[in-house]
Amino acid sequence: MTETTYAQSATGAEVHTTHIQEPRVLSMQQALNTALDEILASNTKALVFGEDVGHLGGVFRVTDGLQAKHGSSRVFDTPLAESGILGLAAGLAMAGFTPLPEVQFDGFAYPAINQIVCQIARLNYRSRGTMPMPITLRVPSFGGIRAPEHHGESLEALFAHVPGLKVVSPADPHQAYHLLRYAAASPDPVIFMEPKARYWQKAPVEAAPGDDLAGARIARHGRHLTLVAWGAMVARCLQVAELAAEDGIDVEVLDLRWLSPIDGVTLAESVGRTRRAVVVHEAPLTSGLGAEVAQLITASCFDTLRSPVERVTGFDVPYPSGDLEDEYVPNVDRILYGIQRVLEYKRG
Amino acid sequence: MTETTYAQSATGAEVHTTHIQEPRVLSMQQALNTALDEILASNTKALVFGEDVGHLGGVFRVTDGLQAKHGSSRVFDTPLAESGILGLAAGLAMAGFTPLPEVQFDGFAYPAINQIVCQIARLNYRSRGTMPMPITLRVPSFGGIRAPEHHGESLEALFAHVPGLKVVSPADPHQAYHLLRYAAASPDPVIFMEPKARYWQKAPVEAAPGDDLAGARIARHGRHLTLVAWGAMVARCLQVAELAAEDGIDVEVLDLRWLSPIDGVTLAESVGRTRRAVVVHEAPLTSGLGAEVAQLITASCFDTLRSPVERVTGFDVPYPSGDLEDEYVPNVDRILYGIQRVLEYKRG
Amino acid sequence: MEPLPAEELLGLYALMTEVRHLDRAAVAWQRQGIIPGYAPLLGQEAAQVGSGFAMDRTLDFAFPTYREMGVARALDVDMTGYMATHKASWHGGLYNPVTSRLAPIQAVVAGSVLHAVGWAHGQTLAGESGAALSYFGDGASSQGDVHEAMNFAAILRAPVVFFVQNNGWAISVPTEKQVAGGSVAARGAGYGIPGVTIDGNDIEAVVHTTRWALERARSGQGPVLIEALTYRRGPHSTADDPGRYRTLDEERESAGPDPMERLRDRILGAGIADMEALAGMEREAAAAVDQVRIKLTGLGTQPGAEMFNFVFQESTDSLNQQAEQWRKESDHD
Amino acid sequence: MEPLPAEELLGLYALMTEVRHLDRAAVAWQRQGIIPGYAPLLGQEAAQVGSGFAMDRTLDFAFPTYREMGVARALDVDMTGYMATHKASWHGGLYNPVTSRLAPIQAVVAGSVLHAVGWAHGQTLAGESGAALSYFGDGASSQGDVHEAMNFAAILRAPVVFFVQNNGWAISVPTEKQVAGGSVAARGAGYGIPGVTIDGNDIEAVVHTTRWALERARSGQGPVLIEALTYRRGPHSTADDPGRYRTLDEERESAGPDPMERLRDRILGAGIADMEALAGMEREAAAAVDQVRIKLTGLGTQPGAEMFNFVFQESTDSLNQQAEQWRKESDHD
Ligand SMILES: Cc1ncc(C[n+]2csc(CCOP(=O)(O)OP(=O)(O)O)c2C)c(N)n1
Ligand SMILES: Cc1ncc(C[n+]2csc(CCOP(=O)(O)OP(=O)(O)O)c2C)c(N)n1
Ligand SMILES: [Mg+2]
Ligand SMILES: [Mg+2]
């Protein structure tokens, strides 16, 4: 994966290659901001819009300074209507633009679902490839910030089930920077789920992606079992892995990254080695993406699996208020229990 | 499960027990129409509304004659706006009514998703049980009728992932009649997915439900493997079972009925006996409800399963036009291939 | 209002004649099993042909619903490719939407109204001067997306013309139970955009008003909302039975004079052409429709592989594997 | 417009004083870490207290957003239960919405507007005579649901009053970039319903207009749309920094006179009460707010089991099992 691959404009717009040249320590918010800045600079057809993304720079400051730098035609506030924002994006894509709309919070993607599912995901298909939808929809996602209702949700299972969408979530600043540039260069619609609980932690962003951005990645190598996670749960799983190591348990952490399409090859390779897996996600259990991941693992590793794949997830309840958040989001204890279950499993 | 159980009104409205007294041969459309008629007669708080459900009696005639009989206050046409219909339902539920709204076709539930997910599914929770939502949303669902775009879709995975919703789909007229009465008596919101390809086939409807309506049911007993299906796929699986029987393969067909909550006990019991399972659904493969079913089976039957659970489903493509429908919806051949795969599976 | 030149009137009459023939033929084809379904536009020919005719096809772009066959014909779209949607070949139709200046056929009521606004705003951003023409119905006007579209369009001053065909019905629901206040056009004022009501069965009024609105939009003066009053003379679709919700007497009364007859009388009255010339047009229309029938029946079933081909610009391994498995399992017997 | 009786003016002043105290206190509590966040209503006290005060609590029902603390107080809602939402105890608040005649606090912009229409239509169907009062903002007016709600309400002639607080801002976006045409009230005409613009900082105008609208609705004359012009003097929420999008000078200019000072001047000018009496009200308000603080800080953390308890009226085996597992895994260390 070279830089030019993802600096290419899907719509044939002139592309000036703009890219960080040396490692920088950035928060995810800064990494995303840098990526957006460079996307706007290198693809003259790129547009950033949504609620409060202009002057204010977004409620999480991810678009901070972009309007001042790139102008209010290319970075603009819309009225407060998510269906309108996504419908506008579809029309702009038809006109040859590369829209990067934002939905302010996960829970406010619902009013736009009709435009996302019935229009953006299908216009390439409906038009037999003549009207591509190179749209990257940024959605601050997942929980963990003690926010009001509808500000802490995980919609990946919904999006991953929609044919015509690709879905990705970065786990750290380096991933955020490279995956956003990769997504924005895609000729297909990508839902970009930003783990808002991780916006502020700093870490190095390298100039080179480091691996093939199209698939999953092993965030930590281990021998005894594989923890599969994405978004904010990757950091938590890495933390769990350190704790487990104290008990002599060697945990592999697989950062799935792409929630659609899922990288079944890396999954099979990892669990083929470790023979045990736990999937961790914040979304409710039932019909969550963990079921798909578990079934993909089981189908490919049926003979070698030593125990059923475990799921440690949010419960089948609405995302709760701050008081109960730490009870809802998989915490270290619950993940350790999941690990214990797969390690202690005995055939009956 | 006795009649009175589901003739109870969730909202405490006066209930006159009205119910078919002897077996009748009905199409599913007639069975649903009969059930709605009786619900309106027995629960004075019940209301039927949606697009074209009044005078016209619905595009599938499921509400035929109900306005003439019960009046245009209780059975009424709304303007053409699905979010409006569901938002109205939520408000009417707050006012003590038992709304039975209709969304005209599966694909037109998307504009209402915000009201369904963020409001109807959560108002009981948000209000700490003081504002129940005894809403039964009828959605003509699934494919098979060579219809225009957005008229053949399967949204069960989306609905089943939403905490606060219950989801059910009947496979035949008897199930349709009893499950609709059961759903309408529920104090919780139920998404009622009607397999539109099965509206017109007639079959006997018995006065007694015949089993516990709250769970799954075995539609055909068999020894060699379990086919798990719902909606229109149940009839197809029964047909496959007959064909397989000619080759000496004894197929059990499990009609899941409730897509949320899923009856894990019946699943485990069946596959515990047959040791092999194939899940069949019309929705796309990835993140479909088949993943959840497969994972539930694997988790409960890990030691006895002889092969990984197979999924025979729609592809990860938008539901296609009539020309390609029979290629998309699981057909007899593809289900037979799935059966072959689980039967011929050999540990590597 | 200047009368239209004679050759334009004749051109419009020829188009309307062909559209009416094709419309009637399509209903017959459905009965004959040639196509599984169809949504007739009978009675809406003036609104559709007139507005499509008013477009500048080098600049403008139209966004239809599922009933705009007359617009498609006026834009000179390949009619076999257009009708293929009703043959269940491909949802969006088999014509090329980009070169045809007609977005793919669209079944979600109000689904494409926002796309028109987005495309139009794209014209502004790109410094181009086309206008978008957004078609929708009285029923669709109830959808939230229409409100969002009008508000966005007015805020962005986007060059878009909202063209509402108020044909009196949304399937079985009459306008008075659909459109509170009785007028879609009146809603324009609430967004600060001109809302104009026209007789949608008077093709000259349709052409003039649409031209005016498109020019206004192109010249940077922002969106316009046109409500063309017309009447759906046929059923909602071939699956519908209007006898269940309106009587023939009611139909006759509400429909008013036939837009085709009006144009014919206008042409004959002004001595622009004689009956014979018009009869010639009828024959040409019949021949053209016959060609469509021949090509349409000649269209084979779409190959199953097409299901997989257009999902993405860049397909995925997982999808390719599904296509591969499908191929294996459907080759077999 | 008849002036309000003296005791009503005094009652309103007492309510507004308490609301202002509680509002300022809540901002302080956020800084002190007592609550994680808060959305102040500073400057909107007249619009909120006046409209809530105009309700008949035996008949009517209010549907708030997330900023209607002043409405809640005017309706005599348990303010600890109300403020609990900002302590992150429970999203909808811990008050009983049914007995309070105030629907649960609601964070989806425009989410509850349709509920008000549904509840109001329920009054018609049940032969009862209450009216619904639906609160939303200038930003919310852009949502499709608001359009659908107004159209439904007018078609159904539902007894609902739409009360828009146009406070000039939706987070950082000013009304002129939000509301095309500049007036939410003007949109009423498009639905055939009265749209009234009032000075939302004039509490007498607010009380009079809301009473008139509620009475009109209750008597079967259909919905009314009121746009109360006011100003959000504080940040959008305690997480917001208005300095990024407006200057203090702009604030001063746009905000106009403080609604509280206006009522105080009115009361003093008319000799209804003297400064001392008003100072007494301030002391009572401070004491009441202190009580809320004590109760709020005394509120323990919600027990985790509550997550599972209210999902359904009839819980499910699967959910019960999850609750059981949660219990086991969180008792442990
Ligand atoms: C969002 C959505 N809801 C429902 C339908 C089903 N439906 C198809 S056409 C129609 C009526 C549309 O009426 P109108 O907008 O007036 O257009 P007309 O059919 O009269 O041309 C309905 C309800 C749909 N296609 N899309
Ligand atoms: C559907 C939805 N989209 C976005 C948001 C995020 N958000 C919360 S408040 C707000 C601004 C609301 O403005 P307005 O309606 O004028 O109310 P105000 O805050 O001024 O009281 C936004 C964008 C939301 N809560 N709901
Ligand atoms: Mg119509
Ligand atoms: Mg505001």
Side-chain angles (χ1 to χ4, degrees):
Chain A
M1 170 57 49
T2 66
E3 169 191 325
T4 34
T5 313
Y6 61 80
Q8 234 162 33
S9 159
T11 50
E14 200 191 340
V15 169
H16 311 282
T17 306
T18 310
H19 196 286
I20 60 168
Q21 301 300 332
E22 48 192 57
R24 290 166 61 185
V25 175
L26 299 173
S27 68
M28 188 181 290
Q29 170 266 333
Q30 291 168 328
L32 293 167
N33 183 265
T34 305
L36 286 174
D37 183 19
E38 294 173 0
I39 291 161
L40 285 161
S42 60
N43 177 353
T44 58
K45 289 291 189 182
L47 302 171
V48 169
F49 52 93
E51 296 158 12
D52 305 292
V53 299
H55 209 64
L56 180 65
V59 292
F60 291 108
R61 308 293 183 260
V62 171
T63 57
D64 193 18
L66 298 180
Q67 185 177 72
K69 183 156 169 197
H70 300 280
S72 56
S73 296
R74 300 192 59 207
V75 180
F76 58 96
D77 289 333
T78 64
L80 208 177
E82 290 77 10
S83 193
I85 293 169
L86 275 294
L88 192 80
L92 284 164
M94 287 178 175
F97 287 87
T98 307
L100 292 122
E102 174 184 291
V103 158
Q104 199 163 73
F105 284 92
D106 35 79
F108 310 133
Y110 291 111
I113 287 296
N114 180 42
Q115 282 293 332
I116 296 172
V117 175
C118 298
Q119 306 298 339
I120 288 174
R122 293 194 202 182
L123 269 158
N124 185 70
Y125 185 83
R126 193 182 295 145
S127 71
R128 300 171 65 79
T130 61
M131 290 180 150
M133 290 282 121
I135 296 169
T136 300
L137 170 60
R138 294 181 37 255
V139 189
S141 291
F142 314 122
I145 65 162
R146 227 168 140 67
E149 198 173 2
H150 316 288
H151 294 64
E153 313 198 358
S154 305
L155 277 71
E156 68 271 22
L158 190 171
F159 290 130
H161 190 46
V162 178
L165 295 182
K166 296 174 179 177
V167 188
V168 69
S169 185
D172 61 34
H174 177 81
Q175 300 299 324
Y177 173 82
H178 288 283
L179 288 172
L180 184 52
R181 296 222 49 186
Y182 185 89
S186 164
D188 295 307
V190 179
I191 311 289
F192 193 88
M193 301 178 71
E194 302 174 359
K196 62 176 91 80
R198 308 293 306 171
Y199 270 139
W200 309 111
Q201 293 84 350
K202 297 201 172 192
V205 176
E206 311 287 335
D211 63 0
D212 180 354
L213 291 170
R217 75 185 177 104
I218 306 298
R220 181 189 200 277
H221 290 271
R223 288 167 302 127
H224 296 146
L225 83 155
T226 303
L227 283 182
V228 183
W230 50 90
M233 288 299 101
V234 174
R236 181 145 310 162
C237 286
L238 289 169
Q239 184 191 354
V240 165
E242 295 307 312
L243 290 172
E246 294 172 12
D247 292 336
I249 305 169
D250 191 16
V251 174
E252 176 143 319
V253 178
L254 190 153
D255 173 6
L256 199 58
R257 293 204 295 205
W258 289 91
L259 311 176
S260 177
I262 294 175
D263 177 358
V265 175
T266 304
L267 269 182
E269 187 279 322
S270 171
V271 185
R273 278 188 285 102
T274 63
R275 301 181 158 213
R276 291 181 173 88
V278 179
V279 196
V280 180
H281 63 64
E282 301 185 38
L285 175 74
T286 297
S287 203
L289 199 67
E292 181 65 42
V293 171
Q295 172 60 12
L296 286 176
I297 291 172
T298 309
S300 57
C301 306
F302 190 71
D303 299 341
T304 47
L305 261 187
R306 295 283 179 83
S307 70
V309 179
E310 274 289 327
R311 293 184 280 172
V312 178
T313 70
F315 300 108
D316 288 342
V317 309
Y319 192 91
S321 198
D323 265 9
L324 307 179
E325 192 166 44
D326 295 341
E327 306 288 334
Y328 172 89
V329 177
N331 54 29
V332 168
D333 282 348
R334 286 179 55 214
I335 300 172
L336 285 170
Y337 273 111
I339 289 177
Q340 193 180 327
R341 279 197 296 277
V342 296
L343 290 177
E344 293 178 357
Y345 184 85
K346 297 238 164 11
R347 293 196 170 259
Chain B
M1 171 56 49
T2 65
E3 167 192 328
T4 35
T5 311
Y6 60 81
Q8 233 162 32
S9 157
T11 50
E14 201 192 339
V15 169
H16 311 282
T17 307
T18 310
H19 196 287
I20 61 166
Q21 301 299 332
E22 48 191 60
R24 290 166 61 183
V25 175
L26 300 173
S27 68
M28 188 183 289
Q29 170 268 332
Q30 292 168 327
L32 292 166
N33 182 266
T34 305
L36 285 174
D37 182 22
E38 294 173 2
I39 291 160
L40 285 161
S42 60
N43 177 353
T44 58
K45 289 290 189 184
L47 302 171
V48 169
F49 52 94
E51 296 157 13
D52 305 292
V53 300
H55 209 63
L56 180 65
V59 292
F60 291 108
R61 310 292 182 260
V62 171
T63 57
D64 192 20
L66 298 180
Q67 184 176 73
K69 184 158 169 196
H70 300 281
S72 55
S73 297
R74 299 193 58 209
V75 180
F76 58 97
D77 289 332
T78 63
L80 207 178
E82 289 77 10
S83 193
I85 293 169
L86 274 295
L88 192 81
L92 284 163
M94 288 177 173
F97 287 87
T98 307
L100 292 121
E102 175 184 291
V103 158
Q104 199 164 75
F105 283 92
D106 34 80
F108 310 134
Y110 291 112
I113 286 296
N114 180 42
Q115 282 293 333
I116 296 172
V117 175
C118 297
Q119 305 298 339
I120 289 174
R122 294 194 202 183
L123 269 158
N124 186 70
Y125 186 83
R126 191 181 296 145
S127 70
R128 300 172 65 80
T130 63
M131 289 180 150
M133 291 282 121
I135 295 169
T136 300
L137 170 60
R138 293 181 38 253
V139 189
S141 291
F142 314 122
I145 64 161
R146 229 168 140 65
E149 198 173 0
H150 316 287
H151 293 66
E153 312 199 358
S154 304
L155 278 71
E156 69 271 22
L158 190 172
F159 289 130
H161 190 46
V162 178
L165 295 182
K166 297 175 179 175
V167 188
V168 69
S169 184
D172 61 35
H174 177 82
Q175 300 298 324
Y177 172 83
H178 288 283
L179 288 172
L180 183 53
R181 297 222 49 185
Y182 185 89
S186 164
D188 295 306
V190 179
I191 312 290
F192 193 88
M193 301 178 72
E194 301 173 0
K196 61 175 92 78
R198 307 295 305 171
Y199 269 141
W200 309 110
Q201 293 83 351
K202 297 202 171 189
V205 175
E206 309 287 334
D211 62 1
D212 181 353
L213 291 169
R217 76 184 176 103
I218 307 296
R220 183 189 199 275
H221 289 270
R223 290 167 300 128
H224 296 145
L225 83 155
T226 304
L227 283 182
V228 183
W230 49 91
M233 289 298 102
V234 173
R236 182 146 309 165
C237 287
L238 288 169
Q239 185 191 354
V240 166
E242 294 307 312
L243 290 172
E246 293 172 14
D247 292 335
I249 306 169
D250 191 16
V251 174
E252 176 144 318
V253 177
L254 189 152
D255 173 6
L256 199 59
R257 293 205 292 206
W258 289 90
L259 311 176
S260 178
I262 293 175
D263 177 358
V265 175
T266 303
L267 270 183
E269 187 278 322
S270 171
V271 184
R273 276 189 286 104
T274 62
R275 302 180 159 214
R276 292 181 172 90
V278 177
V279 197
V280 180
H281 62 63
E282 300 184 39
L285 174 75
T286 297
S287 203
L289 199 66
E292 180 66 41
V293 171
Q295 172 60 10
L296 286 176
I297 291 172
T298 309
S300 58
C301 304
F302 190 71
D303 299 342
T304 47
L305 260 188
R306 296 280 179 85
S307 71
V309 179
E310 275 289 328
R311 293 185 279 172
V312 179
T313 70
F315 301 108
D316 287 344
V317 308
Y319 192 91
S321 197
D323 265 9
L324 306 179
E325 192 164 44
D326 294 342
E327 306 288 334
Y328 172 90
V329 176
N331 54 29
V332 168
D333 282 348
R334 287 180 55 215
I335 301 171
L336 285 170
Y337 274 110
I339 289 177
Q340 193 180 327
R341 280 195 296 276
V342 297
L343 290 177
E344 293 178 357
Y345 185 86
K346 298 239 165 7
R347 293 195 171 258
Chain C
M1 196 171 81
E2 288 267 303
L4 291 177
E7 53 311 359
E8 286 199 354
L9 287 176
L10 285 177
L12 288 165
Y13 190 80
L15 284 170
M16 278 175 83
T17 305
E18 189 178 322
V19 166
R20 175 146 305 179
H21 274 255
L22 183 50
D23 192 61
R24 285 204 195 278
V27 173
W29 298 342
Q30 190 273 336
R31 299 220 179 96
Q32 295 156 20
I34 296 175
I35 59 178
Y38 178 68
L41 65 98
L42 189 72
Q44 301 177 221
E45 294 88 353
Q48 295 200 4
V49 170
S51 55
F53 184 83
M55 282 173 65
D56 180 338
R57 272 187 280 146
T58 65
L59 295 174
D60 305 331
F61 208 99
F63 295 79
T65 72
Y66 44 85
R67 201 190 292 287
E68 269 70 63
M69 189 268 277
V71 178
R73 181 61 195 86
L75 290 177
D76 221 7
V77 171
D78 164 38
M79 294 313 286
T80 310
Y82 181 90
M83 294 301 290
T85 195
H86 299 297
K87 188 165 180 283
S89 304
W90 198 259
H91 286 314
L94 287 173
Y95 61 97
N96 181 320
V98 176
T99 54
S100 304
R101 314 294 287 180
L102 182 73
I105 291 155
Q106 216 290 119
V108 179
V109 154
S112 61
V113 186
L114 282 158
H115 307 168
V117 177
W119 186 91
H121 187 52
Q123 294 290 296
T124 309
L125 292 178
E128 284 166 23
S129 62
L133 189 51
S134 167
Y135 287 92
F136 58 95
D138 45 296
S141 76
S142 296
Q143 289 281 350
D145 270 12
V146 168
H147 165 63
E148 300 189 11
M150 295 204 182
N151 191 45
F152 272 63
I155 290 280
L156 296 169
R157 240 182 135 73
V160 56
V161 175
F162 301 107
F163 192 93
V164 182
Q165 289 172 78
N166 182 341
N167 63 4
W169 295 90
I171 308 186
S172 72
V173 178
T175 310
E176 60 269 24
K177 289 195 184 171
Q178 184 76 250
V179 181
S183 161
V184 180
R187 302 212 175 131
Y191 307 99
I193 65 180
V196 194
T197 306
I198 58 173
D199 179 348
N201 295 335
D202 173 352
I203 198 158
E204 285 185 281
V206 173
V207 173
H208 275 297
T209 312
T210 313
R211 277 186 179 154
W212 163 79
L214 288 168
E215 272 159 29
R216 189 179 186 283
R218 285 190 216 111
S219 69
Q221 294 173 78
V224 176
L225 166 57
I226 300 174
E227 180 174 10
L229 301 177
T230 175
Y231 193 79
R232 196 197 77 207
R233 288 173 172 254
H236 169 71
S237 75
T238 45
D240 181 38
D241 171 12
R244 291 180 68 100
Y245 50 83
R246 67 189 195 196
T247 65
L248 284 177
D249 278 350
E250 283 162 5
E251 277 185 27
R252 245 187 307 274
E253 231 170 80
S254 319
D258 179 346
M260 290 235 45
E261 287 172 19
R262 279 171 68 173
L263 181 56
R264 193 197 51 201
D265 293 351
R266 164 95 176 75
I267 287 172
L268 295 175
I272 293 169
D274 59 12
M275 286 293 281
E276 204 174 322
L278 301 189
M281 288 185 186
E282 299 275 346
R283 282 190 300 275
E284 277 170 38
V289 167
D290 221 45
Q291 281 304 307
V292 175
R293 184 185 53 75
I294 289 165
K295 287 195 204 145
L296 202 64
T297 49
L299 257 188
T301 300
Q302 287 301 105
E306 296 233 319
M307 271 195 302
F308 303 98
N309 288 348
F310 299 111
V311 181
F312 293 115
Q313 290 278 319
E314 290 176 356
S315 193
T316 69
D317 291 348
S318 157
L319 193 54
N320 295 342
Q321 281 157 23
Q322 292 178 36
E324 184 51 38
Q325 188 174 347
W326 164 81
R327 209 168 289 123
K328 267 182 11 214
E329 296 186 358
S330 42
D331 275 346
H332 185 81
D333 95 86
Chain D
M1 195 171 81
E2 288 268 300
L4 290 177
E7 35 339 340
E8 286 199 354
L9 286 175
L10 285 177
L12 287 165
Y13 191 81
L15 284 169
M16 278 175 84
T17 306
E18 190 178 320
V19 166
R20 174 146 303 182
H21 275 253
L22 183 50
D23 190 62
R24 286 204 193 280
V27 173
W29 298 342
Q30 190 274 334
R31 300 220 177 95
Q32 296 157 20
I34 296 175
I35 59 178
Y38 178 67
L41 65 99
L42 189 72
Q44 301 177 221
E45 295 88 351
Q48 295 199 6
V49 170
S51 55
F53 184 83
M55 282 173 66
D56 180 336
R57 273 187 281 146
T58 65
L59 294 174
D60 305 331
F61 207 99
F63 295 79
T65 72
Y66 45 83
R67 201 190 291 287
E68 270 69 64
M69 187 270 276
V71 178
R73 181 61 195 86
L75 290 177
D76 222 6
V77 172
D78 164 39
M79 292 313 286
T80 310
Y82 180 90
M83 294 301 290
T85 193
H86 299 297
K87 188 163 180 285
S89 303
W90 198 259
H91 285 313
L94 287 173
Y95 63 96
N96 181 321
V98 176
T99 54
S100 304
R101 313 294 286 182
L102 182 72
I105 291 155
Q106 216 289 118
V108 180
V109 153
S112 61
V113 185
L114 281 158
H115 308 168
V117 178
W119 186 90
H121 187 53
Q123 294 290 296
T124 310
L125 291 177
E128 284 165 24
S129 62
L133 190 51
S134 167
Y135 288 93
F136 57 96
D138 45 298
S141 75
S142 296
Q143 290 281 348
D145 270 12
V146 168
H147 165 63
E148 298 188 12
M150 294 205 182
N151 192 45
F152 271 63
I155 289 281
L156 295 168
R157 244 185 132 73
V160 55
V161 175
F162 300 108
F163 192 93
V164 182
Q165 289 172 77
N166 182 342
N167 63 4
W169 296 89
I171 308 187
S172 72
V173 179
T175 309
E176 58 270 24
K177 289 193 184 172
Q178 184 76 250
V179 180
S183 161
V184 180
R187 303 215 173 128
Y191 308 99
I193 66 179
V196 194
T197 307
I198 58 172
D199 179 347
N201 296 335
D202 174 351
I203 197 158
E204 283 185 284
V206 173
V207 173
H208 275 296
T209 311
T210 314
R211 275 186 180 154
W212 162 79
L214 288 168
E215 271 159 30
R216 189 177 184 283
R218 285 189 216 109
S219 69
Q221 294 173 77
V224 176
L225 167 57
I226 300 173
E227 180 174 10
L229 300 177
T230 177
Y231 193 80
R232 197 197 75 207
R233 289 172 171 253
H236 170 72
S237 75
T238 46
D240 180 38
D241 170 13
R244 291 179 69 99
Y245 51 83
R246 68 189 195 194
T247 65
L248 284 176
D249 277 352
E250 282 163 6
E251 276 184 29
R252 245 187 307 274
E253 231 170 80
S254 319
D258 178 347
M260 289 235 46
E261 286 172 20
R262 280 170 67 172
L263 181 56
R264 193 197 52 203
D265 293 350
R266 164 93 176 77
I267 287 171
L268 296 175
I272 293 168
D274 58 15
M275 285 294 280
E276 202 173 322
L278 299 191
M281 288 185 187
E282 299 275 347
R283 283 190 300 276
E284 278 169 38
V289 167
D290 222 46
Q291 280 305 307
V292 174
R293 184 185 53 74
I294 290 165
K295 286 195 206 147
L296 201 64
T297 49
L299 256 189
T301 301
Q302 287 301 107
E306 295 231 321
M307 271 195 302
F308 303 97
N309 288 349
F310 299 111
V311 182
F312 293 115
Q313 291 277 319
E314 289 176 357
S315 193
T316 68
D317 290 347
S318 156
L319 193 55
N320 295 343
Q321 280 156 23
Q322 292 179 36
E324 185 51 39
Q325 187 174 347
W326 164 81
R327 209 168 288 123
K328 269 181 9 214
E329 297 185 356
S330 42
D331 274 350
H332 184 85
D333 94 86

